[in-house]
Amino acid sequence: MKGPPASHTIPALLDAQAASFGDREAVVAGTSRISYRDLRLQVRTAARAFWALGVRRGSHVAILMDNRPQWIVAFLALQQIGATAVGLNTWSTAREMEYALVHAEVDTLVAVDSFRKNNYQAMLDGMQPWSQRMPRLRHVVWLGNSAVPARAPGAGELRWEQFLAHAADIHEAQLDAATLAVTSDDIALLLYTSGSTAAPKGILLQHRMWIENAWNIGERQHVTHEDRLWLAVSLFWSFGSVNALPNILSHGACVVLQDHFDAEEALALIERERCSILYGTPNMVLAMVEHPSRLGRKLDSLRSGAMIGTPDQLMLAVSLGARAICNVYGLSETYGNCTVTDAGEPLALRLQSVGRPLPGVTARICHIETGAVLPPGEIGEIRVKGLLFQCYFKDPDKTRESYDADGFFCTGDLGLLDDTGHLYYRGRLKEMVKSGGINIAPVEIEETLMRHPGVRNAYVIGVPDPQLDEILVAIVIPHIGTQPGADELLQFCRRELAAYKVPARIRFATDAELPLTSTGKLQKMKLHTLL
């Protein structure tokens, strides 16, 4: 493709790619090989089935599954009728999942029966009666998983095959009419992200920007229709569904899915499918580099891709074969990335800088306290304007607070711009912890710990870790007269939180040990001195 897609809606993009790259592979997963032409047919069938269930423009439909073709088919099908896909985290506990289903006002859920240690059917059964706890939820569509025997569908439930059979009830012309009503400003995706508060924030993302920003990301990576992406990063994260997936689809390239990350399987998959684009987190790349089978694998197909991390971590991707790996910066609010290095820039620059702003994006560095724009070379808060999320779902106050008087989004991150406009990331203003490439809000874990009857106060911080960048450590002050064990508290967290939010260790402390200011305020940045 010589220029950006003319399509400004996702259905129009799929039509155009099916016309241009019909017989080329769009999605590969296991033994499944789906061409662009077949992908369009599968998507339209699923879209008609959704319409038969009563899903309409503006409906919220949640997708809960591992990286499999049905995730992509369901997502694209919802776009055909102007519905909004809600990406659910497969790591979620029952409590976290119920929050998302209720807050997102989900009326239909498409889910795999189980994934790894989570039995989602059992989770949902524990949320009965739906009519009281999730009054908007009307339908659940289940996909089978051989690991857990499928139970008979209950009221409002269908198996995937039964769901698709409903497409026969809807004429193609009805779908065409619904698709014509979809606009570039319609909401394609609602994603939840950890923030500086305990409750996750719902981020609304639109059709046109989903296409435009990701195509620009791909241009920085020099992606063409000949490329093949290895994708083990979960599709429910913006790195997968808002960055990698539309990058590849907008260039007519191929997505090679790995249902979940396993280093040995990833190496075999990259070799077998001749993958050229790598999207990975530092811990994934480290695991592949250190795996005993790596030296026996032919990985010369690798070329470019996207990664965050230190120079040493990025060099691991280079040593794996991705010599033109691109350093990136962004948030879900910025459609995955807002700055990206160019694959053709010198490696020394790509190791240090996260790149220049993408087309349509303006970045500035502002004084942390005054908000004044700083000159090149000075560190301050990164603020961006341009291709940004529509708003935080049902939270106008949070949306308003996230912008400055000039309309720039305040990222809460630190950085500097050099004389050439390249951005250099310098850490976080917020207390967010990034572990294994995942953003985690300490407040959520602190509040969870304080629900335990033996805990009076809890403070969670990130400490450096060579594999995950940071690990979570909880500093706990017990109630007087109680002394819960560390194992007891960790087990409590495992029941209440997704696995990656569970602290790596717990340190018990007293009030007298806490670092305080002269006015008695906790200096959270100094809690590391207790470790």
Side-chain angles (χ1 to χ4, degrees):
M1 188 175 296
K2 295 181 179 180
S7 310
H8 292 158
T9 68
I10 297 171
L13 175 68
L14 184 59
D15 286 348
Q17 302 305 62
S20 298
F21 305 107
D23 293 328
R24 296 189 66 86
E25 288 181 341
V27 180
V28 170
T31 58
S32 241
R33 295 184 176 273
I34 307 172
S35 69
Y36 272 92
R37 183 176 294 109
D38 287 341
L39 178 61
R40 179 178 179 273
L41 291 174
Q42 290 187 31
V43 165
R44 287 181 63 84
T45 298
R48 286 158 53 212
F50 277 124
W51 191 269
L53 290 190
V55 175
R56 297 292 185 267
R57 184 180 179 193
S59 295
H60 286 190
V61 177
I63 304 174
L64 174 67
M65 63 183 85
D66 51 330
N67 283 3
R68 55 174 63 199
Q70 291 92 338
W71 201 108
I72 296 174
V73 169
F75 168 76
L76 294 174
L78 294 169
Q79 310 315 310
Q80 297 284 317
I81 52 182
T84 298
V86 181
L88 292 185
N89 190 329
T90 58
W91 295 69
S92 295
T93 63
R95 178 184 65 84
E96 293 167 325
M97 189 185 305
E98 184 171 352
Y99 171 84
L101 290 169
V102 172
H103 185 268
E105 301 177 359
V106 168
D107 57 53
T108 302
L109 168 65
V110 184
V112 67
D113 294 342
S114 65
F115 177 57
R116 308 191 79 176
K117 295 181 179 180
N118 282 334
N119 184 328
Y120 300 122
Q121 287 189 329
M123 278 191 190
L124 210 64
D125 287 345
M127 299 176 198
Q128 294 281 9
W130 297 349
S131 58
Q132 295 178 22
R133 296 174 66 166
M134 296 175 290
R136 289 180 179 266
L137 186 62
R138 296 181 295 109
H139 298 288
V140 179
V141 179
W142 293 110
L143 284 85
N145 188 323
S146 58
V148 175
R151 61 160 170 73
E157 296 179 312
L158 295 166
R159 305 303 302 176
W160 179 256
E161 297 75 16
Q162 295 172 313
F163 161 72
L164 291 179
H166 281 282
D169 300 332
I170 304 300
H171 196 276
E172 292 279 354
Q174 289 177 268
L175 176 59
D176 290 338
T179 300
L180 282 173
V182 178
T183 74
S184 62
D185 291 330
D186 282 351
I187 301 301
L189 194 56
L190 167 56
L191 292 182
Y192 282 88
T193 184
S194 295
S196 57
T197 57
K201 296 175 292 187
I203 296 171
L204 298 178
L205 303 168
Q206 296 166 289
H207 281 243
R208 178 183 64 84
M209 296 185 192
W210 186 88
I211 297 168
E212 182 179 340
N213 201 68
W215 188 82
N216 288 329
I217 291 170
E219 289 298 285
R220 291 283 172 90
Q221 297 170 7
H222 298 188
V223 171
T224 75
H225 66 277
E226 300 285 348
D227 279 307
R228 297 171 73 80
L229 162 73
W230 163 70
L231 188 64
V233 172
S234 299
L235 281 163
F236 61 77
W237 276 317
S238 63
F239 199 42
S241 59
V242 187
N243 187 327
L245 178 63
N247 169 1
I248 295 304
L249 293 184
S250 65
H251 285 84
C254 177
V255 178
V256 179
L257 293 174
Q258 186 176 4
D259 62 350
H260 69 280
F261 177 71
D262 173 86
E264 183 173 15
E265 181 185 341
L267 291 165
L269 192 60
I270 291 169
E271 178 185 44
R272 183 172 66 249
E273 295 296 334
R274 304 293 295 160
C275 294
S276 53
I277 304 296
L278 179 151
Y279 266 67
T281 58
N283 55 313
M284 286 180 175
V285 174
L286 177 63
M288 289 192 288
V289 168
E290 293 185 340
H291 197 276
S293 70
R294 175 213 167 189
L295 294 178
R297 294 293 180 186
K298 188 176 175 62
L299 306 177
D300 61 320
S301 59
L302 283 175
R303 178 180 55 79
S304 188
M307 187 172 161
I308 56 173
T310 65
D312 287 345
Q313 290 169 332
L314 287 161
M315 277 304 300
L316 291 174
V318 173
S319 71
L320 201 62
R323 299 165 299 281
I325 194 74
C326 295
N327 203 345
V328 301
Y329 169 76
L331 308 89
S332 298
E333 290 91 336
T334 66
Y335 288 81
N337 294 153
C338 55
T339 71
V340 180
T341 55
D342 191 282
E345 290 179 314
L347 177 60
L349 177 62
R350 285 185 280 119
L351 293 178
Q352 299 293 334
S353 171
V354 292
R356 281 190 282 244
L358 293 168
V361 176
T362 302
R364 60 169 48 166
I365 304 299
C366 295
H367 190 279
I368 296 168
E369 295 176 355
T370 67
V373 179
L374 297 175
E378 292 197 28
I379 296 175
E381 183 183 19
I382 303 168
R383 298 185 182 182
V384 295
K385 193 174 188 178
L387 300 179
L388 293 167
F389 73 122
Q390 187 193 62
C391 64
Y392 292 120
F393 185 52
K394 298 196 294 191
D395 199 340
D397 291 339
K398 176 65 68 176
T399 303
R400 190 163 47 251
E401 293 165 4
S402 298
Y403 289 85
D404 66 17
D406 293 329
F408 279 75
F409 177 70
C410 304
T411 67
D413 291 325
L414 294 169
L416 65 88
L417 288 166
D418 66 13
D419 290 326
T420 66
H422 282 81
L423 179 67
Y424 293 77
Y425 178 69
R426 289 293 182 264
R428 290 176 295 283
L429 274 171
K430 303 173 185 177
E431 295 173 353
M432 189 81 72
V433 174
K434 181 161 283 189
S435 182
I438 305 170
N439 287 326
I440 304 168
V443 172
E444 182 180 6
I445 304 158
E446 291 165 356
E447 292 187 356
T448 296
L449 280 165
M450 285 188 286
R451 287 201 298 270
H452 187 282
V455 176
R456 179 161 56 86
N457 282 315
Y459 308 99
V460 174
I461 58 175
V463 299
D465 180 81
Q467 288 189 316
L468 299 175
D469 285 348
E470 292 178 296
I471 57 172
L472 296 165
V473 175
I475 297 168
V476 170
I477 300 177
H479 280 294
I480 296 174
T482 66
Q483 186 57 58
D487 289 343
E488 176 186 351
L489 293 182
L490 291 174
Q491 188 60 36
F492 179 78
C493 288
R494 292 187 188 103
R495 289 197 302 268
E496 295 292 311
L497 295 164
Y500 63 85
K501 299 177 185 176
V502 176
R505 60 190 175 99
I506 290 178
R507 199 279 203 195
F508 292 97
T510 64
D511 287 328
E513 293 178 273
L514 296 179
L516 305 175
T517 65
S518 58
T519 58
K521 185 177 180 181
L522 176 70
Q523 294 179 295
K524 197 167 186 181
M525 297 302 292
K526 293 186 178 181
L527 285 174
H528 294 79
T529 61
L530 301 183
L531 304 178

